[in-house]
């Protein structure tokens, strides 16, 4: 599209229509699978691009991807904080007791013969190490696990949301998220992503 008055080729029109159908399909199925969590990826892209646009800058491809993933991670963190704050008072202690009892049962079982041949005394060392670990180590392990879970799920859901948003932006504007508009910045009337 070198000029605004130039008509688009039929192949480009078909590509834009296919991108629209693909973007809607990706976001629809992802919304069903994530209970609407994927919706925060395009919202994050839009918010970051508005902030950058107000400062006279544009968001590049990595910036739009990072804003999609980051916004999903922020929402997941907020959901985790809310769930942890409304959980019954003894639920964390009950979960810890269940984990300890499961570990105690596992510690009583002898290790497989091949493992004892491979590393003699491994079971005794592991049992001693488990018994020496206390609540601070368990709490830090839970925090690290939550951070890893939020990172993994946020990256996966944010990537899917970014793909859907990129397809929809291409179908509506005829350009990808990080591409510059063919129109000078001052002449553009709509808000670009």
């Amino acid at each position: 599209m070198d000029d605004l008055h130039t008509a688009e080729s039929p192949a480009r029109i078909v590509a834009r229509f296919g991108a629209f159908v693909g973007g809607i399909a990706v976001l629809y199925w992802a919304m069903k699978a994530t209970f609407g969590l994927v919706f925060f990826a395009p919202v994050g892209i839009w918010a970051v691009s508005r902030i950058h646009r107000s400062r006279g800058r544009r968001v590049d491809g990595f910036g739009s991807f990072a804003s999609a993933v980051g916004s999903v991670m922020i929402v997941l963190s907020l959901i985790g904080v809310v769930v942890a704050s409304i959980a019954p008072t003894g639920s964390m202690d009950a979960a810890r007791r269940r984990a300890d009892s499961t570990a105690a049962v596992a510690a009583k079982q002898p290790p497989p013969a091949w493992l004892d041949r491979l590393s003699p005394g491994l079971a005794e060392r592991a049992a001693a190490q488990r018994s020496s670990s206390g609540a601070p180590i368990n709490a830090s392990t839970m925090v690290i696990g939550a951070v890893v879970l939020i990172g993994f799920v946020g990256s996966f859901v944010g990537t899917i949301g970014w793909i859907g948003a990129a397809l929809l932006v291409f179908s509506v504007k005829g350009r990808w998220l990080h591409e510059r508009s063919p129109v000078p910045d001052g002449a553009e009337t709509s808000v670009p992503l």
Side-chain angles (χ1 to χ4, degrees), residues 167-185:
L167 289 171
L168 288 178
V169 166
F170 176 73
S171 71
V172 171
K173 297 192 176 279
R175 61 184 174 85
W176 294 106
L177 281 172
H178 62 279
E179 285 183 332
R180 292 202 180 268
S181 174
V183 184
D185 284 343

Side-chain angles (χ1 to χ4, degrees), residues 128-173:
Q129 186 178 17
R130 269 190 299 242
S131 66
S132 68
S133 67
I137 292 177
N138 290 338
S140 63
T141 303
M142 288 174 50
V143 169
I144 291 170
V147 168
V148 168
L149 180 67
I150 287 171
F152 179 75
V153 173
S155 297
F156 185 73
V157 173
T159 300
I160 292 173
W162 180 75
I163 290 170
L167 289 171
L168 288 178
V169 166
F170 176 73
S171 71
V172 171
K173 297 192 176 279

Side-chain angles (χ1 to χ4, degrees), residues 25-189:
V26 165
L27 289 177
Y28 173 74
W29 289 108
M31 279 222 193
K32 285 180 69 173
T34 64
F35 302 107
L37 184 63
V38 76
F39 173 71
F40 292 100
V43 169
I45 295 170
W46 176 80
V48 169
S49 68
R50 291 286 296 188
I51 291 168
H52 278 269
R53 184 81 170 159
S54 69
R55 296 177 181 169
R57 298 185 303 225
R58 293 180 101 47
V59 178
D60 60 352
F62 179 75
S64 64
F65 175 75
S67 62
V69 170
S71 62
V72 172
M73 285 183 184
I74 289 170
V75 171
L76 277 173
S77 300
L78 292 174
I79 290 171
V81 167
V82 167
V83 167
S85 69
I86 64 173
T89 55
S91 61
M92 294 304 286
D93 291 332
R96 187 174 298 127
R97 280 192 305 271
R98 273 187 247 123
D100 289 342
S101 67
T102 304
V105 169
K108 290 178 183 175
Q109 293 177 343
W114 64 269
L115 186 60
D116 200 34
R117 281 191 307 258
L118 192 66
S119 177
L122 179 68
E124 291 81 18
R125 288 191 306 266
Q129 186 178 17
R130 269 190 299 242
S131 66
S132 68
S133 67
I137 292 177
N138 290 338
S140 63
T141 303
M142 288 174 50
V143 169
I144 291 170
V147 168
V148 168
L149 180 67
I150 287 171
F152 179 75
V153 173
S155 297
F156 185 73
V157 173
T159 300
I160 292 173
W162 180 75
I163 290 170
L167 289 171
L168 288 178
V169 166
F170 176 73
S171 71
V172 171
K173 297 192 176 279
R175 61 184 174 85
W176 294 106
L177 281 172
H178 62 279
E179 285 183 332
R180 292 202 180 268
S181 174
V183 184
D185 284 343
E188 195 169 298
T189 57

